[in-house]
Amino acid sequence: SPAGSCYFYVTSCSMQAAITPNMWLRDRWGEANMRSGSTITTCEQTRRAGFASWCSIPFSAVTMHFNPPQVIPSAPRSPAGSCYFYVTSCSMQAAITPNMWLRDSWGEAN
């Protein structure tokens, strides 16, 4: 699941047909409007209470999961004229190491 995201799981939500019970769902509305993907408290407390109220179910019937935003280190600054890239995953290219800055030697040469 993506970094900087918030997921919810409810056991029932008969008041809201758009919610599928017993399935993890991403809180896209909360991420866009309440920053639930930015802070654990907003995701796991504020949005949890919101879902309980919205679904008319007890607070204990809602489970939330927070994936903190990924902190990407600063890019290398040398040598002059160099180009670097950073990817968090790249399943199509086994030679690319995720989560680290890599120099784009091919791009520099071409």
Side-chain angles (χ1 to χ4, degrees):
S1 49
S5 59
C6 180
Y7 287 79
F8 66 94
Y9 182 98
V10 296
T11 55
S12 67
C13 191
S14 59
M15 301 295 291
Q16 305 298 330
I19 301 297
T20 304
N22 301 313
M23 174 185 244
W24 283 102
L25 300 168
R26 189 165 177 184
D27 182 20
R28 294 190 185 277
W29 186 92
E31 290 172 16
N33 297 282
M34 297 186 70
R35 300 179 38 86
S36 65
S38 298
T39 68
I40 192 168
T41 302
T42 303
C43 175
E44 295 185 354
Q45 297 299 315
T46 306
R47 293 297 291 147
R48 184 177 180 193
F51 277 113
S53 175
W54 194 51
C55 291
S56 296
I57 57 177
F59 185 79
S60 61
V62 181
T63 303
M64 304 297 290
H65 177 73
F66 176 70
N67 293 323
Q70 183 175 13
V71 177
I72 298 175
S74 297
R77 297 184 184 267
S78 63
S82 59
C83 179
Y84 288 84
F85 65 95
Y86 188 100
V87 295
T88 56
S89 68
C90 188
S91 60
M92 301 298 290
Q93 301 295 328
I96 294 179
T97 305
N99 300 314
M100 69 181 294
W101 286 101
L102 300 170
R103 188 164 178 187
D104 184 9
S105 300
W106 185 90
E108 290 174 18
N110 295 287

